[in-house]
Amino acid sequence: MTNDKVIAGLIVTFNPDIPRLKKNIDALKKNIGNNFLVVDNGSNNIDEIINIVQNNHILRFPNNLGIAKAQNEGFKRLLKDKYKWIILLDQDSILPLNACDVICSTKEFSEDLTGIIGVSIRKDLPKRGVVEESQLISSGCFVRAEAWIKSGGMDEYLFIDFVDLDFDSRVLLAGYKLYEETDVVMEHEIGKTIYAPTLGKLLRLSYREGYFFDHSPIRIFYFYRNSIIVQKRYPNLFHVNYNLTFKYLKRTREIFAYKKPRMKKFFYALKGISEGRKYSPKRDKEFQSILEQIYEKN
């Protein structure tokens, strides 16, 4: 267990499943002790969260300000205590008990140009040790505090979905490298899983292998909007050589495999595509300002 003040954990919560959250915190504490912070986004069950998290380990918002805002405020709080690395975790993720020891023993952890080291969430993939990546989901990532500062932190306009891939892209632009330790596999949930192989074949969605991840209408809106925005921002990193609007209009076929209300979810997907289509990185003054800061620091 790592228990000095080099590494801290950061968990963002919003109406979490309490037994699952407790397992998450217990596993984190076995990795790094009491060096962690829970940032709550206005949960309805905040009293239950407080029962398992001491007040000095929780930062509370009155309502849901988005995962980007929560992570940024968590970083600011933890950086006051001079932590060098922050482990980002979703409320339903559970780190293996040896995660921190394994990550800290890698040569990449001690290299100055390492910005992020993530863990794997795929039990079905072969273990290959540490591999360089261009994209990592945020949960399970060990983020160098300096990389968060130099890349401008999380983009709060995005609110949720694709916040991590946007951040990854700016960390790369800031000159850092991203790695995944494939030997460490974390328990992680992605929405509500639906298995509909026959429908998947009828909709010609063979790439899904019959599995679909259902979300609320508002999450679907952010997914479609932000996926287009982020790929517009970094076309070279995402190898964009196709029509993004057409790509995501085709993808809405998946919604027929989701649970009701499908029409509402379809409407929110179209709304997200429409807003993503209108977005221009060049006209986004805040985004351009962040890019200027990154290039100036390099």
Side-chain angles (χ1 to χ4, degrees):
M1 179 183 75
T2 299
N3 57 9
D4 53 27
K5 299 200 77 173
V6 173
I7 304 173
L10 173 56
I11 304 170
V12 176
T13 56
F14 179 66
N15 299 332
D17 175 80
I18 296 301
R20 181 81 178 184
L21 177 62
K22 189 175 185 307
K23 288 181 180 179
N24 182 342
I25 293 172
D26 288 345
L28 181 60
K29 289 168 73 173
K30 288 177 181 177
N31 273 276
I32 58 172
N34 287 316
N35 303 336
F36 72 92
L37 177 69
V38 172
V39 182
D40 183 71
N41 252 329
S43 293
N44 295 328
N45 55 350
I46 184 62
D47 291 337
E48 294 179 82
I49 297 173
I50 292 173
N51 283 339
I52 60 172
V53 182
Q54 296 177 1
N55 279 328
N56 62 329
H57 289 291
I58 189 165
L59 176 61
R60 297 170 55 183
F61 295 147
N63 46 49
N64 190 354
L65 301 181
I67 193 167
K69 176 71 171 178
Q71 289 176 338
N72 281 339
E73 293 304 313
F75 262 93
K76 292 174 186 176
R77 172 92 160 255
L78 292 169
L79 263 56
K80 289 180 180 178
D81 292 327
K82 310 299 183 183
Y83 288 105
K84 303 298 183 185
W85 290 83
I86 310 296
I87 308 172
L88 295 176
L89 288 168
D90 289 352
Q91 63 193 22
D92 51 17
S93 300
I94 302 176
L95 276 177
L97 301 186
N98 67 338
C100 203
D101 288 341
V102 174
I103 295 293
C104 292
S105 68
T106 64
K107 67 180 181 62
E108 288 78 9
F109 184 79
S110 60
E111 293 175 352
D112 292 340
L113 289 182
T114 298
I116 307 174
I117 305 180
V119 301
S120 177
I121 60 170
R122 296 285 302 272
K123 296 179 180 179
D124 57 324
L125 295 181
K127 295 180 178 180
R128 299 173 292 151
V130 179
V131 295
E132 188 169 354
E133 296 286 359
S134 59
Q135 298 174 13
L136 295 167
I137 67 165
S138 63
S139 192
C141 276
F142 290 60
V143 180
R144 185 186 294 274
E146 185 182 69
W148 177 82
I149 294 169
K150 289 187 176 180
S151 64
M154 314 303 175
D155 186 344
E156 296 174 14
Y157 168 69
L158 297 178
F159 197 81
I160 194 166
D161 295 295
F162 275 78
V163 169
D164 44 10
L165 301 190
D166 180 77
F167 177 65
D168 291 343
S169 300
R170 282 183 284 106
V171 170
L172 290 171
L173 291 179
Y176 291 97
K177 293 184 178 182
L178 277 56
Y179 296 99
E180 180 182 343
E181 172 51 277
T182 63
D183 291 345
V184 180
V185 182
M186 178 183 72
E187 290 185 42
H188 179 71
E189 296 179 353
I190 308 175
K192 298 176 182 176
T193 305
I194 297 172
Y195 184 57
T198 302
L199 187 56
K201 289 179 181 178
L202 289 173
L203 295 172
R204 296 188 177 183
L205 296 169
S206 57
Y207 64 91
R208 281 296 189 193
E209 298 180 347
Y211 289 95
F212 302 89
F213 303 108
D214 197 4
H215 291 288
S216 67
I218 191 64
R219 280 292 304 274
I220 288 172
F221 163 77
Y222 281 117
F223 172 83
Y224 280 91
R225 187 196 71 165
N226 292 352
S227 59
I228 295 174
I229 286 175
V230 172
Q231 290 179 80
K232 279 186 172 182
R233 286 178 170 180
Y234 317 100
N236 293 333
L237 293 178
F238 285 89
H239 309 292
V240 177
N241 56 2
Y242 43 78
N243 185 301
L244 288 169
T245 301
F246 181 65
K247 173 186 175 181
Y248 285 98
L249 281 172
K250 284 176 60 180
R251 184 161 180 164
T252 59
R253 306 195 311 276
E254 290 185 11
I255 295 172
F256 290 103
Y258 296 175
K259 293 186 181 297
K260 296 178 180 180
R262 295 187 192 92
M263 288 308 298
K264 185 175 182 180
K265 291 177 180 179
F266 187 72
F267 171 78
Y268 272 72
L270 293 181
K271 184 179 178 183
I273 292 170
S274 176
E275 290 202 11
R277 183 174 178 273
K278 295 174 186 174
Y279 176 81
S280 168
K282 291 182 179 179
R283 293 198 299 266
D284 187 338
K285 293 181 180 179
E286 188 168 340
F287 173 64
Q288 290 299 324
S289 176
I290 291 173
L291 289 185
E292 288 175 9
Q293 293 174 31
I294 291 173
Y295 295 137
E296 284 176 3
K297 290 175 181 177
N298 287 320

